[in-house]
């Protein structure tokens, strides 16, 4: 590990906090009602090879655990906060994301259900990486879920902050829009960068692209937002918080991932400073 990985397990970088620990222990130490946005991707229980965490638990035990985490997340959220929960099933566990979201129904309103499209075929073209799938039973898995959970179902979003220009410009005047931007909708095409080595993926089996948490933070749309990721991994959400001018709190149980997250955050900070001429 590099020189940033010290014996300390909690770090402050710029305006962000990185905490090494179990999120079920750390979340209760955060003030109730203090968090604007939670963006996270928990382990999916698909047998991924994390360094410490066992990603193959009995399904009921796994769902009970994530429900407990969701209770802890709910406590820290502001009344008008947003919880973006990224999760996926698999051919062998296709019900899992749906089982989970039904369990969370007493806790949250499902305000939006976003499909994160990782690869797509349009007419006769295909864009994005296709993970090989053998046999004839199953189609390729091209998308994952992002459940946008809120306490009221009435959280106002800044849809145009991640908007796209109108294809047909006549719509702008005809429909009284002031800007050439319309809502992107609930299918988000965010492909992974093609990488050739594990190092380029920070030696972590399941990161998400930084655009994903950036879009969530922008869509929620509050200046100076407090953003929490209870399963921070390599710190992608904190890098997004840095790039979006938000304040991040990241938690992971694995000190090696926390160290990587810290290094990425320092690098993102340098890029930001260069861009802003500081
Ligand atoms: C799917 S990964 C998150 C990856 C992250 N989105 C990224 O881009 O790097 C889930 C992470 O949860 C961590 N984890 C598992 N159980 C945990 C717990 N009880 N508390 C905190 N972190 C935990 C694992 O170490 C793993 O890094």
């Amino acid at each position: 590990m590099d020189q940033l990985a010290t014996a300390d397990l909690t770090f402050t970088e710029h305006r962000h906090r990185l905490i090494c620990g179990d999120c079920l222990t750390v979340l209760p130490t955060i003030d109730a009602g203090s968090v604007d946005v939670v963006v996270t991707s928990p382990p999916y229980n698909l047998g991924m090879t994390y360094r410490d965490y066992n990603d193959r638990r009995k399904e009921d035990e796994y769902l009970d655990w994530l429900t407990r985490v969701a209770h802890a997340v709910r406590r820290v959220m502001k009344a008008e906060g947003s919880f973006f929960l990224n999760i996926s099933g698999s051919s062998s566990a296709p019900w899992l994301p749906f089982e989970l979201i039904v369990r969370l129904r007493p806790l949250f309103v499902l305000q939006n259900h976003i499909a994160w499209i990782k690869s797509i075929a349009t007419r006769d073209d295909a864009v994005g990486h296709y993970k090989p799938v053998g046999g004839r039973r199953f189609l390729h898995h091209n998308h994952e879920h992002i459940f946008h959970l809120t306490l009221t179902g009435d959280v106002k979003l800044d849809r145009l902050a991640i908007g796209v220009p109108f294809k047909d410009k006549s719509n702008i005047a005809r429909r009284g829009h002031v800007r050439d931007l319309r809502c992107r909708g609930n299918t988000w095409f965010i492909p992974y960068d093609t990488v050739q080595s594990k190092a380029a993926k920070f030696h972590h089996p399941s990161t998400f692209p930084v655009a994903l948490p950036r879009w969530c933070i922008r869509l929620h749309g509050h200046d100076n937002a407090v953003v929490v990721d209870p399963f921070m991994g390599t710190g992608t959400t904190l890098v997004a918080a840095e790039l979006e001018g938000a304040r991040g709190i990241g938690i992971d149980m694995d000190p090696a991932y926390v160290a990587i997250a810290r290094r990425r955050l320092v690098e993102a900070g340098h890029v930001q400073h260069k861009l802003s001429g500081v």
Side-chain angles (χ1 to χ4, degrees):
M1 215 35 58
D2 64 33
Q3 62 192 28
L4 286 174
T6 67
D8 289 345
L9 296 178
T10 299
F11 305 100
T12 303
E13 279 305 336
H14 200 192
R15 54 184 187 273
H16 315 284
R17 255 195 314 146
L18 299 90
I19 304 165
C20 185
D22 182 335
C23 62
L24 274 176
T25 311
V26 177
L27 282 168
T29 67
I30 298 175
D31 286 347
S34 64
V35 172
D36 296 277
V37 186
V38 178
V39 188
T40 201
S41 178
Y44 294 176
N45 212 35
L46 299 178
M48 302 300 271
T49 42
Y50 293 102
R51 280 169 28 93
D52 280 352
Y53 176 78
N54 167 20
D55 195 34
R56 211 181 278 288
R57 299 159 77 170
K58 287 202 183 104
E59 189 164 298
D60 248 3
E61 181 195 309
Y62 169 79
L63 291 170
D64 285 348
W65 170 65
L66 274 190
T67 307
R68 290 211 308 281
V69 175
H71 272 278
V73 164
R74 188 182 194 282
R75 191 193 69 85
V76 300
M77 280 168 68
K78 289 184 179 169
E80 69 283 9
S82 283
F83 175 15
F84 295 92
L85 174 62
N86 164 225
I87 194 156
S88 172
S90 68
S91 303
S92 58
W95 292 103
L96 191 109
F98 307 105
E99 300 265 12
L100 175 64
I101 208 66
V102 169
R103 284 205 185 200
L104 300 192
R105 196 167 173 171
L107 300 183
F108 298 103
V109 177
L110 179 55
Q111 188 167 323
N112 287 284
H113 178 196
I114 300 156
W116 167 26
I117 310 295
K118 301 190 287 185
S119 47
I120 191 165
T122 57
R123 298 193 183 148
D124 56 359
D125 195 12
V127 192
H129 176 68
Y130 278 64
K131 198 172 169 188
V133 169
R136 294 178 55 185
R137 280 193 296 165
F138 301 120
L139 299 174
H140 277 82
H141 286 262
N142 298 21
H143 80 282
E144 296 194 8
H145 306 276
I146 304 172
F147 296 113
H148 174 221
L149 302 160
T150 63
L151 302 190
T152 59
D154 192 25
V155 173
K156 307 287 177 288
L157 301 172
D158 189 354
R159 300 187 307 167
L160 297 190
I162 57 164
V164 285
F166 283 96
K167 203 81 175 167
D168 174 356
K169 303 297 180 197
S170 72
N171 272 316
I172 304 167
R174 201 151 38 85
R175 298 191 190 272
H177 295 289
V178 275
R179 293 159 71 190
D180 180 10
L181 277 181
R182 70 173 161 81
C183 172
R184 168 178 299 275
N186 62 5
T187 49
W188 292 3
F189 177 56
I190 310 177
Y192 277 106
D193 290 337
T194 301
V195 294
Q196 307 297 345
S197 71
K198 284 190 176 169
K201 289 175 77 184
F202 313 106
H203 299 284
H204 191 288
S206 50
T207 58
F208 47 40
V210 72
L212 189 153
R214 286 192 81 170
W215 289 9
C216 295
I217 295 167
R218 265 191 236 166
L219 179 64
H220 184 77
H222 288 240
D223 286 344
N224 245 325
V226 175
V227 176
V228 168
D229 187 343
F231 299 103
M232 151 180 82
T234 62
T236 314
T237 300
L238 263 59
V239 171
E242 170 67 20
L243 299 175
E244 295 299 328
R247 288 170 288 157
I249 303 173
I251 307 163
D252 203 283
M253 65 188 280
D254 187 325
Y257 294 147
V258 176
I260 292 168
R262 191 176 180 211
R263 194 181 63 218
R264 289 184 73 195
L265 200 47
V266 170
E267 283 163 10
H270 287 162
V271 172
Q272 276 300 81
H273 283 207
K274 265 192 209 144
L275 289 176
S276 61
V278 177

